[in-house]
Amino acid sequence: MLPIYYINLASRPDRRQFMEEQFARLGLTATRIEALTPSDLSESDVAAYCDPLKPNYMSPNMFSCAMSHERVWQTMLAAGESQVLILEDDAELSSLLPHFLEAAGNFSEELIRIETTGARTRVYLAHEVTQKGLSVRRFRSTPMGSAGYVLRRSAAEKLLGHPRLRTLAIDLAMYSPFEEPGALLTRSLVDPALCRQLGTQREGQSEVGRSNIDTKQVLPRKYADLHPVKNAVARMRRKLRTGLRNAVDHVREQRNGLNSKHVDFAP
């Protein structure tokens, strides 16, 4: 069985209890990793990466989230782990997760996404199927969310300290098939998925799903306000470039079995 790490804020004991109850119910054990907050960031990092006067910047919340995942990667490397499961503390887990963890060592991918948001994802035909009918598919999208993934040591070494983790949200950096560091990794996902963030399901079920991000603390996009035309032109160019690249790639990869489908959550 793979080692399990989960990221949790000290200020959210409700989420810690939520995760520990799930682990107990599934017969799993996990190691808690203290999440970083914006107050843990150095002044130099905030100045370099969280300055809203720059055209590209990260909010302190987004940056501290990425650094929390880096803390887990550092921990797994220091412990000499070859492959681990990494979870955020608002992940609802499927009852099929223990079965998959027993088989995960048989898969060669450096990164296996076990999460879904329910959105359509560009995937290839399944190349591995477990005894419980879980498909492991290579994918070509950049899905949102970093609540659950299996990571090999080689991937942690490629991800740790990568410059794009200082300019992009962690999911965009890890899962991009076109740009580093995601493009450096062999990546697959589990279908149906084995976890989903509480925020992606029905509202009002539990306070555990309440976000810890205070919207009042989100920095305004000062660069966009100061340079509206320049910012709008840059955004349009990025959208056109990305849209054209994705369209050409999708047509080209269809001959290799690429198709678009909803990845559901395994009950």
Side-chain angles (χ1 to χ4, degrees):
M1 192 75 72
L2 297 187
I4 303 172
Y5 294 96
Y6 75 99
I7 301 167
N8 171 247
L9 282 168
S11 61
R12 296 303 302 267
D14 56 333
R15 287 189 172 186
R16 180 175 186 174
Q17 180 181 355
F18 170 71
M19 296 302 294
E20 293 290 350
E21 287 177 349
Q22 289 189 97
F23 295 139
R25 185 169 64 251
L26 297 175
L28 302 172
T29 58
T31 300
R32 176 183 175 273
I33 301 295
E34 177 68 28
L36 294 170
T37 69
S39 62
D40 297 314
L41 302 177
S42 67
E43 291 184 4
S44 60
D45 278 346
V46 171
Y49 307 117
C50 305
D51 183 356
L53 290 173
K54 296 180 179 179
N56 297 304
Y57 77 100
M58 296 180 73
S59 72
N61 281 305
M62 189 183 298
F63 187 65
S64 56
C65 175
M67 294 304 99
S68 296
H69 282 263
E70 284 208 348
R71 174 175 280 185
V72 183
W73 305 336
Q74 291 168 338
T75 301
M76 73 169 284
L77 292 175
E81 306 286 7
S82 60
Q83 188 180 32
V84 302
L85 169 63
I86 299 171
L87 299 167
E88 294 179 350
D89 63 1
D90 59 348
E92 179 187 5
L93 306 179
S94 166
S95 61
L96 293 179
L97 180 59
H99 160 72
F100 175 74
L101 294 180
E102 291 178 352
N106 298 325
F107 306 127
S108 61
E109 288 79 7
E110 294 175 292
L111 174 65
I112 305 177
R113 176 180 167 89
I114 71 165
E115 176 186 9
T116 185
T117 62
R120 296 191 71 87
T121 305
R122 297 191 304 145
V123 297
Y124 294 91
L125 297 175
H127 67 281
E128 299 281 358
V129 180
T130 71
Q131 291 181 347
K132 298 287 186 179
L134 297 173
S135 299
V136 178
R137 306 170 180 268
R138 292 183 298 120
F139 64 97
R140 198 75 178 161
S141 292
T142 307
M144 303 296 289
S146 54
Y149 56 97
V150 172
L151 196 71
R152 286 194 175 274
R153 184 180 185 87
S154 58
E157 292 171 340
K158 294 173 184 177
L159 290 169
L160 193 59
H162 196 281
R164 287 182 65 80
L165 286 166
R166 274 95 179 129
T167 59
L168 281 178
I170 185 170
D171 45 4
L172 300 181
M174 284 200 309
Y175 295 133
S176 172
F178 304 109
E179 298 173 321
E180 294 186 6
L184 298 173
L185 311 177
T186 56
R187 306 163 310 119
S188 291
L189 56 75
V190 181
D191 181 18
L194 302 174
C195 84
R196 61 180 176 181
Q197 287 185 298
L198 290 175
T200 64
Q201 53 180 307
R202 294 186 301 274
E203 295 296 331
Q205 285 191 348
S206 170
E207 278 294 300
V208 175
R210 175 179 54 83
S211 173
N212 202 68
I213 297 177
D214 182 356
T215 55
K216 295 180 181 179
Q217 299 298 320
V218 177
L219 295 175
R221 296 190 63 85
K222 293 182 180 179
Y223 177 86
D225 294 338
L226 293 172
H227 309 280
V229 176
K230 188 175 182 180
N231 181 69
V233 170
R235 288 187 62 188
M236 182 62 69
R237 285 177 175 172
R238 285 196 300 270
K239 287 183 177 181
L240 289 174
R241 183 170 60 250
T242 301
L244 178 60
R245 180 195 63 189
N246 290 350
V248 171
D249 182 76
H250 188 74
V251 172
R252 183 179 63 237
E253 290 299 319
Q254 281 183 318
R255 72 188 69 174
N256 297 321
L258 184 70
N259 64 87
S260 178
K261 72 182 299 288
H262 289 286
V263 177
D264 297 320
F265 175 69

